Amino acid sequence: MSPVAKRRTVVVGGRSISLSNTDKVLYPETGTTKGRVIEYYERVAPWMIPHVKDRPVTRKRWANGVDGKVFFEKNLPDSAPDWVRHHTIAHKEHDTEYPIVDDVATLVWMAQQAALELHVPQWRFGPRGGHQNPDRLVLDLDPGEGVGLPECVEVALAAREVLQGMGLEPYPVTSGSKGIHLYAALDGRATTAQVSDVAHELARALEQDLPDLVLSSMSRAERTGKVFVDWSQNNGNKTTIAPYSLRGRDRPTVAAPRTWDELTQRGLVQLTLDDVLDRLEARGDLLHPVASASLSVGRPDHGHWDGERTEDANRASEDRLSAYRAKRDAAKTPEPVPTGAPTVRDDGTPTFVIQEHHATRDHYDFRLEHEGVLVSWALPKGEPTDPGKNHLAVQTEDHPLEYGSFEGIIPAAEYGGGTVTIWDDGTYELEKWREGEEVIVTLHGRTGGARRLALLHTRGRGRGRDGDEKNWLIHRTKDQPDREPGSTAGATHRAGPTRASRSAVHATSPATERPEERRTMQATLAKGEPRLDPADWAFELKWDGIRALATVRDGKVTLRSRNGNDLTAQYPELQDLGERAGVDGVYDGEIVALDDRGRPSFQLLQNRMGLTKTREVEAARATTPVRLLLFDVLEADGHELTRHGYTARREALATVIEPGGVIEVPDAVEGDFAAALAESERRGLEGVVAKKRGSKYAEGRRSEAWLKVKHHATQEVVVGGWRPGAGRREGGIGSLLLGVPGAEGLEYVGKVGTGFRDRDLDEIAGVLEPLGTDDSPFVDVPRPDARDAHWVRPVRVGEVEFAEWTGDGRLRQPSWRGWRADKQPDDVVRES
């Protein structure tokens, strides 16, 4: 292929970037290509940019992959796009132009250059290129020969005590290499030299406390068996691998923020790019408190602009929109994505807007014009109308002023996908604005009239040191302005979109797939009892029934099995979902029949399976009622949700379904995996399904992002024949011959002759009789089992419970559980 053919131009963040050789493998051990690296940096940009913006970036490039030569690069090359921001640093012998990463386009351009590692110092440039004081302290815990992550954790815990004693809160980051970095936010008052001296003293103190484990000197000869606490990372001329940067090692590991709890768990390892993306979807940026604090250093309210604080307000406002631009592609979303610096208005009263946002979870967006941007909060329950009740307000990225008039549909695949409409807008009077702490305003709106609101950060309000920095409370004050003529002040503000408004949104939403085109995501059987961090995994009880996708359209429900069979007529009582679902959508769940102890019984459910005649269905319904237990949602209100993480989908499910009648939405189990497994066993259930919190919904695929653990081994099987019975079963079926599809055909796995009720054998005979054939469907069957066998076409699937697999691949002590009418032979796999 010619060089021209390998090159293509893409638009990222409103910038055109030429990509080449995206299929080149940069990590041979894992097959990770340059295209995958580019994709990673594009996706991680919203969380990474706050940690690197305004800092000079030094790059380590592996043009021919990590097995090849590494290029260490500081200077911005002449070939760089002219839109890449940069600042000059004067060295003794030369000047160096360092690039600045403040948007997703620059990050993608660096990835295109195969710059796997990005390194930055602990200080930032001021608006005009001046060096600000450091805004964070970093300790690099570097293990010498003979020690590793466990020893680094021991030192990190000791360092945490010391730092907290100094009034600093440290946050751990596994470096992606061998050790651990500790970050602590600073207020910008101390110079680089002062911070470096403090870090050096801290390292010495740790060495005195742990002389057999810690080394504070630079001597490489003494590092064997010890953890070097590298305090020099705080030197103004030194750099540290940036949070969320890849590493140029055998595998695509990442400098990844961690929790203190997971550091103390056994089996701690460095995380890869896939791990990090999943965690970010589920948990957000664990290092956000450091970035948030450091970004406030130098703002006017903070009082430290390094002598440059008011000279360039527009430049500061442009910086505040970097996170907004990083999350949006102007070519794909109708939202305004300005590329230039916004103008700070000084010609009138500041404005506000409240937008109704039908997204993964319906909510309202509350935005106040301040310092040239719209400072924004998401209100899951809307604006409070009762002074006695506070509502949660989750601060999001600053938005451009142009967003104040935006209404439209954001494509489902884009950030914030959904419909945005303006609920209220107008001007406001500012009473108080304490950055990151408290805001009090009086709104003068067109819809909601005049009202006085207070926003209070939750820090220090019962959430402790580890509270989410994004969480505020919004409060309607007791003292309210007098009602203005013609206003609707005092009218009830909607706490959430009504069904009517949702229907209107659905009418303009993108077309959805037909029910028969949707497929369920499948879990993988876990080996043993896996070690799963509850912060990364949710644990659901496993229900013993039939998997079904329920599609709701205009109140009518269509049910389809995992393999697409229409089950609607078999379970008429489940039309109740049409009333329980607040919006049209596609919901994933399990149809179950409960025994007299309230436990799902697969054998009891057999009474309802395969019935088609109305009279038969109604008779069976009277004796064997069923319920639908929902645990996921693929689409709601016309918006595709499969690309969102598990946690977001569960929140959407809880928002749009009102449980009751025969419809349930079981909660995930609180606690860790062991607690979930114990709860499942206590309730007499089948087991547990663990689901990665950040995992997308992989339609039609079996995924290790969902792991199932059963108390008893079960196996789906294809019935390929039967042997006559003896004694009481003489003249009928005595046992069924079973197989599992393999590489060469249907592999024989044994026979089952127990677990049948008398009527089961009669029904089975009726099912198999028209399937008779002269030839064995199996690859091989032992002669004793084949001697008097009656062969059948292998088109029916059943399920057995068994003790274990034998050494020659046979089922030991299998017991029949019933037919699986919801599955096809191609769906059957050998469970480990």
Side-chain angles (χ1 to χ4, degrees):
M1 183 179 291
S2 68
V4 175
K6 291 183 179 179
R7 187 173 293 275
R8 61 190 177 96
T9 299
V10 297
V11 177
V12 179
R15 308 290 193 184
S16 294
I17 303 175
S18 180
L19 303 183
S20 62
N21 299 319
T22 55
D23 58 349
K24 177 182 284 187
V25 175
L26 298 184
Y27 293 88
E29 183 172 308
T30 58
T32 305
T33 64
K34 188 165 95 172
R36 182 72 178 104
V37 167
I38 292 172
E39 179 196 3
Y40 167 75
Y41 274 117
E42 182 180 20
R43 289 180 60 188
V44 84
W47 298 281
M48 183 177 184
I49 287 174
H51 297 287
V52 298
K53 74 183 303 290
D54 294 330
R55 304 184 196 272
V57 180
T58 299
R59 290 89 63 213
K60 292 177 74 173
R61 298 173 51 215
W62 280 266
N64 295 310
V66 294
D67 290 346
K69 184 178 179 180
V70 58
F71 299 90
F72 190 76
E73 193 169 60
K74 295 183 178 180
N75 215 32
L76 185 68
D78 294 337
S79 60
D82 57 10
W83 42 260
V84 175
R85 282 189 61 214
H86 53 89
H87 279 304
T88 303
I89 296 180
H91 298 288
K92 289 183 179 179
E93 299 178 356
H94 58 85
D95 292 347
T96 301
E97 288 289 331
Y98 284 89
I100 308 297
V101 176
D102 64 354
D103 58 25
V104 64
T106 302
L107 205 53
V108 168
W109 170 76
M110 289 183 175
Q112 156 61 23
Q113 302 298 307
L116 302 181
E117 292 191 6
L118 308 181
H119 296 249
V120 294
Q122 317 322 327
W123 55 269
R124 299 179 189 267
F125 287 114
R128 293 186 297 160
H131 292 208
Q132 294 183 325
N133 285 339
D135 52 32
R136 63 193 188 193
L137 178 148
V138 174
L139 295 179
D140 178 7
L141 310 184
D142 185 12
E145 186 178 347
V147 293
L149 276 177
E151 289 77 16
C152 289
V153 170
E154 185 177 348
V155 177
L157 293 171
R160 183 190 192 189
E161 285 191 32
V162 177
L163 286 164
Q164 288 178 337
M166 297 165 57
L168 299 175
E169 187 60 38
Y171 293 83
V173 173
T174 45
S175 70
S177 178
K178 297 182 296 181
I180 293 174
H181 295 162
L182 297 181
Y183 283 78
L186 301 176
D187 62 11
R189 299 180 183 181
T191 66
T192 294
Q194 291 169 331
V195 174
S196 186
D197 287 344
V198 169
H200 196 177
E201 286 303 315
L202 196 156
R204 288 187 182 125
L206 290 171
E207 186 176 35
Q208 290 177 356
D209 291 343
L210 302 168
D212 295 331
L213 184 58
V214 173
L215 179 71
S216 67
S217 71
M218 297 288 182
S219 173
R220 292 191 174 275
E222 301 177 45
R223 293 190 186 180
T224 300
K226 293 190 176 183
V227 175
F228 171 46
V229 179
D230 187 357
W231 50 272
S232 71
Q233 301 288 313
N234 301 282
N235 185 304
N237 297 320
K238 292 289 290 289
T239 60
T240 306
I241 188 79
Y244 299 111
S245 172
L246 285 165
R247 284 288 200 170
R249 301 179 66 80
D250 293 342
R251 300 167 63 247
T253 50
V254 174
R258 312 296 287 268
T259 66
W260 284 103
D261 284 344
E262 65 182 315
L263 248 63
T264 58
Q265 294 176 0
R266 294 178 59 187
L268 179 70
V269 295
Q270 302 288 346
L271 299 179
T272 66
L273 78 174
D274 291 318
D275 299 325
V276 168
L277 290 174
D278 285 347
R279 288 164 61 91
L280 284 170
E281 290 288 346
R283 302 166 135 191
D285 178 19
L286 297 175
L287 200 59
H288 172 73
V290 175
S292 176
S294 67
L295 286 173
S296 70
V297 173
R299 287 186 181 177
D301 287 351
H302 199 286
H304 294 281
W305 248 145
D306 194 27
E308 308 172 48
R309 96 181 160 199
T310 58
E311 288 81 354
D312 198 347
N314 286 349
R315 175 74 253 171
S317 296
E318 182 183 18
D319 292 345
R320 291 183 65 165
L321 292 178
S322 61
Y324 173 91
R325 282 192 291 268
K327 295 180 179 181
R328 291 164 177 84
D329 185 343
K332 297 179 180 178
T333 177
E335 299 163 282
V337 187
T339 57
T343 301
V344 179
R345 296 192 317 111
D346 58 3
D347 58 348
T349 307
T351 60
F352 82 95
V353 64
I354 299 175
Q355 288 158 317
E356 191 171 342
H357 194 168
H358 296 268
T360 304
R361 185 169 187 176
D362 294 342
H363 62 278
Y364 289 82
D365 292 313
F366 179 58
R367 313 190 195 280
L368 297 175
E369 178 184 347
H370 185 66
E371 295 183 353
V373 297
L374 291 174
V375 181
S376 301
W377 292 264
L379 310 181
K381 294 186 177 180
E383 178 189 329
T385 58
D386 181 354
K389 294 182 180 180
N390 296 328
H391 285 184
L392 176 66
V394 181
Q395 188 164 18
T396 61
E397 73 275 14
D398 295 337
H399 283 50
L401 294 184
E402 294 92 328
Y403 212 99
S405 59
F406 173 69
E407 290 184 295
I409 299 175
I410 304 170
E414 298 304 304
Y415 176 78
T419 303
V420 177
T421 56
I422 295 176
W423 185 85
D424 194 14
D425 62 350
T427 61
Y428 74 89
E429 299 172 42
L430 176 61
E431 181 176 331
K432 182 183 293 187
W433 194 296
R434 289 197 301 137
E435 192 69 30
E437 295 292 339
E438 182 181 17
V439 176
I440 301 178
V441 295
T442 297
L443 306 183
H444 297 278
R446 294 182 300 116
T447 303
R451 62 270 195 199
R452 185 170 179 264
L453 301 171
L455 286 147
L456 306 172
H457 199 287
T458 58
R459 186 188 302 108
R461 292 177 173 83
R463 291 181 176 263
R465 293 184 180 215
D466 296 327
D468 193 328
E469 289 290 316
K470 299 179 294 183
N471 287 351
W472 296 57
L473 297 176
I474 185 168
H475 170 70
R476 188 183 184 96
T477 63
K478 291 183 178 178
D479 296 329
Q480 288 293 312
D482 293 334
R483 181 167 178 170
E484 299 169 341
S487 79
T488 56
T492 301
H493 179 64
R494 289 169 288 170
T498 63
R499 179 162 186 148
S501 69
R502 285 171 172 161
S503 299
V505 171
H506 177 64
T508 58
S509 296
T512 57
E513 295 181 69
R514 293 178 297 176
E516 61 269 23
E517 294 174 343
R518 307 309 300 245
R519 289 292 184 268
T520 59
M521 177 176 175
Q522 299 301 310
T524 299
L525 187 68
K527 298 177 181 178
E529 294 188 12
R531 297 185 59 83
L532 303 174
D533 184 349
D536 294 329
W537 294 81
F539 307 112
E540 298 180 356
L541 299 177
K542 191 174 189 308
W543 308 104
D544 199 5
I546 295 176
R547 188 79 172 275
L549 285 181
T551 301
V552 179
R553 293 283 183 263
D554 298 323
K556 182 180 178 181
V557 180
T558 302
L559 298 168
R560 291 195 174 271
S561 68
R562 195 179 84 173
N563 55 14
N565 291 334
D566 194 335
L567 306 176
T568 309
Q570 295 180 41
Y571 306 102
E573 62 264 57
L574 300 186
Q575 290 296 317
D576 189 29
L577 177 61
E579 294 298 320
R580 299 288 172 180
V583 297
D584 288 355
V586 181
Y587 305 95
D588 190 359
E590 196 89 2
I591 300 172
V592 301
L594 305 181
D595 63 16
D596 54 6
R597 296 174 60 184
R599 300 176 306 181
S601 168
F602 185 73
Q603 193 169 51
L604 195 59
L605 190 60
Q606 298 281 306
N607 297 335
R608 296 292 302 271
M609 294 171 64
L611 303 180
T612 56
K613 296 179 180 178
T614 302
R615 182 178 299 177
E616 293 176 342
V617 170
E618 289 302 319
R621 178 180 174 182
T623 59
T624 311
V626 298
R627 307 178 73 79
L628 178 60
L629 310 184
L630 298 176
F631 49 73
D632 217 318
V633 54
L634 287 71
E635 174 248 302
D637 205 18
H639 303 304
E640 184 65 25
L641 302 181
T642 55
R643 299 182 184 90
H644 295 272
Y646 163 86
T647 300
R649 297 196 311 274
R650 285 289 298 195
E651 289 177 352
L653 182 66
T655 300
V656 300
I657 297 295
E658 181 182 355
V662 296
I663 308 300
E664 296 183 24
V665 182
D667 292 330
V669 180
E670 295 292 332
D672 58 14
F673 174 73
L677 205 59
E679 174 67 9
S680 171
E681 193 161 26
R682 183 187 70 79
R683 294 173 61 174
L685 301 179
E686 192 180 7
V688 169
V689 180
K691 298 182 177 180
K692 219 167 190 177
R693 295 186 184 276
S695 61
K696 310 296 188 295
Y697 192 97
E699 277 199 78
R701 292 197 294 110
R702 191 174 297 276
S703 171
E704 291 188 355
W706 288 9
L707 296 176
K708 56 185 177 182
V709 178
K710 302 178 181 179
H711 300 301
H712 306 288
T714 60
Q715 173 66 52
E716 294 163 7
V717 290
V718 179
V719 176
W722 56 276
R723 294 185 64 197
R728 191 165 58 89
R729 293 185 182 176
E730 188 172 0
I733 293 176
S735 61
L736 300 179
L737 306 180
L738 314 174
V740 171
E744 314 223 343
L746 189 63
E747 298 175 351
Y748 183 69
V749 296
K751 60 182 185 295
V752 59
T754 61
F756 301 108
R757 299 168 296 182
D758 288 342
R759 68 176 183 178
D760 289 337
L761 292 172
D762 293 338
E763 291 173 357
I764 290 170
V767 169
L768 297 183
E769 183 177 2
L771 301 178
T773 181
D774 294 334
D775 300 319
S776 169
F778 299 105
V779 175
D780 58 345
V781 182
R783 185 173 297 175
D785 289 353
R787 186 174 51 229
D788 54 356
H790 296 255
W791 309 118
V792 298
R793 287 186 288 113
V795 296
R796 293 301 303 264
V797 176
E799 185 171 285
V800 297
E801 185 175 299
F802 67 108
E804 62 180 350
W805 288 101
T806 65
D808 57 353
R810 301 287 191 263
L811 297 164
R812 187 188 301 279
Q813 299 174 5
S815 177
W816 181 252
R817 299 190 74 222
W819 291 114
R820 297 302 312 232
D822 57 326
K823 299 188 179 178
Q824 300 286 355
D826 289 345
D827 297 326
V828 176
V829 296
R830 185 186 295 263
E831 304 281 15
S832 300

